[in-house]
């Protein structure tokens, strides 16, 4: 089928550039800032963008108005859920955030051989999805402080890609105005780059954008909603694999604590280390450097759908992934910032041990701050939406075995879901693999599950643990007077891939009091 390409420009005469700089030795800094080789022209076919043109177009096209300045650019990108923090927390040593672009967007100047074009390119990086805001003791988000490795449950890639496409389509009609905005926002832009934008990039952009109908989505699939991605659909696009008109394998962004306990990666366990059992119990003593590096090698392949890398280019980034994964193995999630009742948590720990640990792992230590010790890597079906489990196909198995990955991982469809790790659970709402349940209280059926609810820029309710809200005419909206830090979107569980069913049978038999005690324990994981 014919596909539309969202943000990229088909710069077919341009040779691809390599990574702009060697990866830092520190794994946390590599995770936070490194481009994993994806700041290049080839990635502009799908994911990467000409940064200065996009930034200028976004501020000029803002329906709310505003000046052509860095403050307006910052506000515009924060509206899509990108973090532009004053400080980065959760790392093992200080990391300074960039001042001229958001956390999780890698930006750099690339200069290919022929034709002699110079363009500042931006691409998504790990921290765009995997660095969330810190939270205060009352559940208020603090977007000026990013917690590395936590999920950004407000990042709305669908809104961002649509806004970029619309802005470029409109603003490229007036070249002088757009280029003047570039010079105003980025006064250090040299003559060579300005000429490249005018005579090479803009003409190609206009031709590519003309193929996208007005009002149409920029990609042949929907990216999702705040905190949700559609990675398998993106992988099918990169691998030219067949897919239907409505790819709906949505997945919510997890906290990355304790990833080394997984024996296979992705929500369906589709990626397992070569030569290793796909599903096997893991204890802390099994977290060897060899196992960690095998998982790291697999994660380098994640840059193919998320950053537009080719498998061969992604394979070259395995050493960077190993450093980042070594840091992740030592990382702990942000401690629950609210109050935890130790007596309720202790009762909840006993309930968890008897009802939850066989799937979600065994935690030891104080009930208010336990630590994972054993993880069974359970897999199966619990009645949740099947779209994501069905999305990974044999065509992707073949594609994931190219570029050197045939020696790294065993990729195959499983048709099932892997039980998720629960470390850092309190900060990952909405819940379920597709982000369809706004609170733990709803997940445990203490309250009816919302059919429609707002998500994005939200605060957290520390009693029900999840997105704070109240019902209004059948929609769960934010509390009166609350002003979200990013633009919220409506999550509709009636749409394909977004059902909020599942896990009901596992809750049966628990009393109301036991369910509240269990929530109290889950706060501390």
């Amino acid at each position: 089928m014919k596909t539309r390409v969202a943000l990229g420009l088909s710069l077919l005469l341009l040779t691809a550039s390599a990574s702009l700089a060697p990866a830092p030795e520190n794994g946390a800094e590599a995770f936070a800032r490194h481009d994993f080789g994806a700041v290049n022209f080839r990635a502009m076919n799908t994911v990467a963008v000409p940064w200065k043109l996009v930034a200028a177009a976004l501020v000029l096209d803002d329906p709310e108005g505003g000046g052509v300045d860095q403050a307006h650019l910052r506000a515009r990108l924060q509206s899509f859920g990108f973090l532009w923090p004053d400080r980065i927390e959760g790392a093992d040593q200080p990391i300074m955030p960039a001042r001229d672009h958001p956390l999780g967007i890698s930006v750099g100047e690339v200069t290919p051989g022929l034709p002699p074009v110079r363009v500042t390119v931006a691409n998504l990086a790990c921290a765009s999805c995997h660095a969330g805001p810190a939270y205060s003791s009352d559940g208020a988000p603090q977007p000026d402080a990013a917690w590395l490795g936590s999920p950004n449950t407000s990042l709305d890639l669908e809104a961002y890609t649509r806004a970029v496409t619309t802005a470029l389509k409109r603003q490229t009609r007036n070249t002088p105005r757009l280029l003047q905005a570039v010079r105003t926002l980025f006064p250090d832009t040299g003559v060579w780059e300005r000429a490249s934008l005018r005579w090479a990039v803009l003409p190609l952009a206009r031709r590519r954008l003309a193929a996208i109908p007005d009002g149409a989505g920029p990609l042949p699939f929907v990216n999702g909603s705040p905190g949700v991605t559609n990675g398998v659909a993106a992988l099918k696009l990169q691998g030219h694999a067949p897919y239907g008109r409505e790819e709906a394998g949505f997945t919510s962004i997890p906290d990355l604590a304790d990833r080394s306990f997984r024996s296979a990666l992705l929500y369906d366990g589709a990626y397992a280390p070569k030569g290793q059992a796909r599903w096997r119990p893991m204890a802390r003593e099994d977290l060897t450097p060899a196992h960690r590096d095998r998982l790291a090698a697999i994660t380098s392949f994640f840059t193919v759908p998320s950053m537009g890398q080719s498998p061969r280019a992604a394979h070259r980034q395995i050493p960077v992934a190993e450093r980042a994964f070594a840091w992740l193995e030592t990382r702990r999630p942000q401690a629950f910032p609210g109050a935890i009742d130790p007596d309720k948590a202790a009762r909840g720990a006993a309930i968890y041990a008897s009802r939850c640990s066989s799937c979600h792992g065994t935690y030891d230590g104080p009930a208010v701050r336990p630590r994972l010790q054993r993880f069974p890597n359970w897999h199966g079906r619990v009645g949740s939406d099947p779209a994501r489990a069905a999305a990974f196909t044999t065509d992707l198995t073949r594609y994931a075995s190219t570029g050197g990955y045939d020696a790294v991982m065993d990729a195959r469809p499983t048709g099932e879901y892997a039980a998720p790790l629960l470390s850092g659970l309190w900060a990952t709402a909405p819940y379920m693999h597709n982000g369809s349940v706004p609170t733990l209280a709803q997940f445990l059926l203490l309250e009816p599950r919302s059919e429609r609810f707002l998500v994005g820029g939200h605060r957290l309710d520390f009693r029900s643990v999840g997105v704070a809200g109240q019902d209004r005419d059948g929609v769960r909206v934010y509390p009166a007077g609350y002003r979200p830090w990013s633009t919220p979107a409506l999550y509709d569980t009636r749409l394909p891939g977004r059902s909020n069913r599942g896990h009901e049978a596992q809750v049966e038999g628990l009393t109301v009091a036991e369910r509240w005690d269990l929530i109290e324990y889950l706060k501390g994981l």
Side-chain angles (χ1 to χ4, degrees):
M1 63 179 288
K2 281 191 171 182
T3 61
R4 301 185 300 277
V5 176
L7 309 180
L9 307 175
S10 186
L11 306 177
L12 299 179
L13 298 178
L14 303 174
T15 60
S17 63
S19 177
L20 297 177
E25 289 298 322
N26 177 264
E29 188 172 358
F31 182 89
R33 302 177 63 122
H34 193 57
D35 73 331
F36 283 79
V39 174
N40 59 60
F41 278 108
R42 181 178 293 118
M44 291 174 72
N45 283 319
T46 49
V47 180
V49 296
W51 170 243
K52 295 180 179 179
L53 278 185
V54 163
L58 282 174
V59 297
L60 290 174
D61 207 59
D62 188 353
E64 302 295 325
V68 180
D69 52 45
Q70 286 291 321
H72 185 196
L73 176 61
R74 179 173 181 155
R76 188 81 165 107
L77 287 164
Q78 282 185 325
S79 74
F80 306 118
F82 285 103
L83 288 173
W84 204 316
D86 296 325
R87 63 187 188 277
I88 298 173
E89 300 180 354
D92 50 0
Q93 68 179 39
I95 299 175
M96 292 301 296
R99 296 299 178 191
D100 57 354
H101 58 270
L103 179 65
I105 290 184
S106 295
V107 176
E109 192 176 83
V110 293
T111 308
L114 292 173
V117 172
R118 172 174 287 176
V119 180
T120 301
V121 173
N123 203 340
L124 299 177
C126 300
S128 57
C129 292
H130 296 292
Y135 289 88
S136 62
S137 59
D138 62 353
Q142 298 177 311
D144 59 330
W147 199 273
L148 205 60
S150 291
N152 186 346
T153 56
S154 294
L155 180 63
D156 192 342
L157 292 176
E158 178 66 16
Y160 169 66
T161 55
R162 283 178 175 269
V164 167
T165 304
T166 299
L168 286 174
K169 282 174 73 71
R170 282 202 284 247
Q171 299 305 321
T172 52
R173 297 168 187 164
N174 190 335
T175 295
R177 181 171 183 252
L178 182 59
L179 292 180
Q180 181 56 52
V182 168
R183 295 188 68 176
T184 301
L185 283 172
F186 307 101
D188 59 344
T189 305
V191 174
W192 186 1
E193 184 169 7
R194 295 202 304 269
S196 298
L197 293 175
R198 177 184 290 273
W199 303 114
V201 178
L202 273 170
L204 287 167
R206 291 192 192 95
R207 289 200 291 272
R208 178 56 62 88
L209 291 164
I212 303 175
D214 290 340
L219 285 167
F221 57 86
V222 175
N223 274 300
S225 54
V228 175
T229 63
N230 199 350
V232 174
L235 184 62
K236 289 178 178 179
L237 177 65
Q238 295 291 343
H240 306 288
Y243 52 84
R245 290 182 176 273
E246 196 163 332
E247 286 286 319
F250 302 116
T251 53
S252 63
I253 304 167
D255 190 281
L256 295 184
D258 294 326
R259 291 292 108 181
S260 293
F261 281 89
R262 290 287 300 270
S263 60
L265 299 180
L266 298 185
Y267 270 94
D268 56 349
Y271 297 158
K274 194 78 170 182
Q276 302 292 310
R278 186 174 303 276
W279 311 111
R280 68 185 189 279
M282 296 287 294
R284 189 162 289 278
E285 57 267 25
D286 298 317
L287 308 185
T288 64
H291 171 69
R292 180 190 68 211
D293 287 349
R294 283 192 287 265
L295 293 182
I298 292 175
T299 65
S300 68
F301 188 76
F302 294 175
T303 66
V304 174
S306 64
M307 303 180 191
Q309 290 273 60
S310 69
R312 191 168 302 281
H315 192 271
R316 291 195 291 267
Q317 299 300 318
I318 288 177
V320 188
E322 289 174 346
R323 288 198 284 276
F325 213 93
W327 165 71
L328 281 176
E329 190 171 77
T330 68
R331 174 194 173 272
R332 297 206 69 188
Q334 180 188 0
F336 183 73
I340 299 178
D341 185 308
D343 293 332
K344 290 183 178 180
R347 294 195 297 268
I351 296 165
Y352 177 90
S354 65
R355 297 294 296 265
C356 310
S357 62
S358 60
C359 292
H360 296 290
T362 302
Y363 288 79
D364 289 339
V368 296
R369 187 63 167 155
R371 192 165 190 188
L372 185 65
Q373 299 300 323
R374 290 172 292 280
F375 189 68
N377 282 294
W378 182 91
H379 59 101
R381 298 180 176 89
V382 293
S384 53
D385 192 295
R388 170 57 189 85
F392 199 92
T393 62
T394 53
D395 296 281
L396 294 182
T397 297
R398 290 188 288 269
Y399 184 57
S401 300
T402 61
Y405 282 99
D406 56 328
V408 171
M409 66 179 174
D410 176 10
R412 66 180 65 176
T414 69
E416 298 178 322
Y417 289 114
L421 295 152
L422 300 185
S423 304
L425 181 69
W426 67 268
T428 65
Y431 299 105
M432 299 286 273
H433 77 273
N434 56 1
S436 59
V437 180
T439 69
L440 286 181
Q442 290 193 14
F443 182 80
L444 293 177
L445 304 179
L446 285 160
E447 303 167 358
R449 292 181 181 177
S450 298
E451 187 175 69
R452 293 178 294 165
F453 60 90
L454 292 181
V455 61
H458 48 270
R459 70 177 299 142
L460 295 180
D461 181 330
F462 280 166
R463 181 175 185 272
S464 61
V465 184
V467 179
Q470 57 194 27
D471 186 78
R472 184 183 300 160
D473 298 326
V475 177
R476 184 181 173 88
V477 299
Y478 295 159
Y482 175 68
R483 184 174 181 179
W485 67 269
S486 67
T487 302
L490 182 68
Y491 192 107
D492 191 338
T493 64
R494 300 169 300 182
L495 297 177
R498 299 175 189 256
S499 169
N500 62 5
R501 295 300 304 271
H503 214 277
E504 295 92 350
Q506 287 72 21
V507 178
E508 289 180 359
L510 291 177
T511 68
V512 168
E514 287 173 331
R515 297 179 201 197
W516 283 117
D517 288 344
L518 179 57
I519 287 176
E520 202 70 12
Y521 177 70
L522 294 174
K523 292 176 182 179
L525 298 189

